[in-house]
């Protein structure tokens, strides 16, 4: 068990970096302010999937000011919970790549350069990814191509009861679904 609580993390290439080689279980980031890092506020990698790190929890934390990278970049996670947190002033607020068994709730992702939330699932419907009860707005800031609120890929990804509005990029896209991702009960404007 690893817990990082009530910390300010700033000024690094990565604010918090957890590579697959760390082989950590039950990692919690709670009450953290992770800001003004170069590549990512949080970098979590578990490739190959479920071999190294498992059980990521992010709660009551803020990730911001990573203009060249992501607020949080989470790759190959097969068990994660992200809640009550905020992602803003990054390239992508919350970037989930090749993930399963992930739940994101009560998150605010706003004023990011490219997208508020990007999620690519695993195509394995027994490993669901749920983005729910979150607010995603004003993304695509100062970006000449399409700005996205939420961009979701693969059939194990579901968007439920989110508010997505006011994207400011060239294409102003609230929600973009690919490869069987689904959305229900979202307010999009």
């Amino acid at each position: 068990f690893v817990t990082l609580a009530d910390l300010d993390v700033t000024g690094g290439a990565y604010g918090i970096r957890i590579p697959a080689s760390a082989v950590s279980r039950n990692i919690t980031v709670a009450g953290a302010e992770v800001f003004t890092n170069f590549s990512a506020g949080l970098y979590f990698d578990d490739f190959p999937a479920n071999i190294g790190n498992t059980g990521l929890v992010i709660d009551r934390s803020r990730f911001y000011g990573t203009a060249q990278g992501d607020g949080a970049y989470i790759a190959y996670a097969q068990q994660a919970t992200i809640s009550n947190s905020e992602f803003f002033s990054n390239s992508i607020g919350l970037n989930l790549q090749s993930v399963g068994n992930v739940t994101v709730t009560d998150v605010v992702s706003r004023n990011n350069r490219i997208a508020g939330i990007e999620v690519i699932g695993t195509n394995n419907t027994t490993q669901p990814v749920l983005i729910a009860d979150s607010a995603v707005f004003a993304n695509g800031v100062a970006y000449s191509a399409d700005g996205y609120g939420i961009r979701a890929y693969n059939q194990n990804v579901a968007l439920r009861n989110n508010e997505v509005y006011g994207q400011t990029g060239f294409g102003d896209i609230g929600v973009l679904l690919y490869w069987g991702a689904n959305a229900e009960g979202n307010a999009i404007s």
Side-chain angles (χ1 to χ4, degrees), residues 74-78 96-100 102 119-122 127 129 156:
I74 300 168
Y76 301 97
Q78 297 306 303
L96 305 167
Q97 299 290 315
S98 299
V99 296
V102 173
V119 56
I120 298 178
T122 62
Q127 297 179 338
V129 178
N156 69 324

Side-chain angles (χ1 to χ4, degrees), residues 16 18 27 29 40-47 53-58 63 70-83 87 92-104 118-121:
I16 300 168
I18 306 166
I27 302 157
V29 178
L42 169 72
Y43 178 93
F44 177 95
D45 185 9
D46 191 25
F47 181 82
N53 303 310
T54 59
L56 175 66
V57 174
I58 298 173
F63 299 84
D70 303 326
Y73 175 86
I74 300 168
Y76 301 97
Q78 297 306 303
Q79 183 181 0
T81 302
I82 302 161
S83 60
F87 303 85
I92 296 175
L94 177 58
N95 193 346
L96 305 167
Q97 299 290 315
S98 299
V99 296
N101 295 322
V102 173
T103 302
V104 177
E118 178 165 294
V119 56
I120 298 178

Side-chain angles (χ1 to χ4, degrees), residues 136-147:
V136 181
F137 60 94
N139 296 289
V141 176
Y143 190 59
S144 60
D146 295 333

Side-chain angles (χ1 to χ4, degrees), residues 120-138:
I120 298 178
T122 62
N123 243 353
N124 182 343
T125 56
T126 65
Q127 297 179 338
V129 178
L130 175 65
I131 312 292
D133 304 315
S134 296
V136 181
F137 60 94

Side-chain angles (χ1 to χ4, degrees), residues 7-12 15 32-38 41 62-66 88 90:
L7 297 173
D8 287 353
V9 182
T10 187
E33 293 278 329
V34 184
F35 59 99
T36 319
N37 295 287
F38 185 75
R62 296 180 357 135
F63 299 84
Y64 56 95
T66 305
F88 61 95
N90 305 292

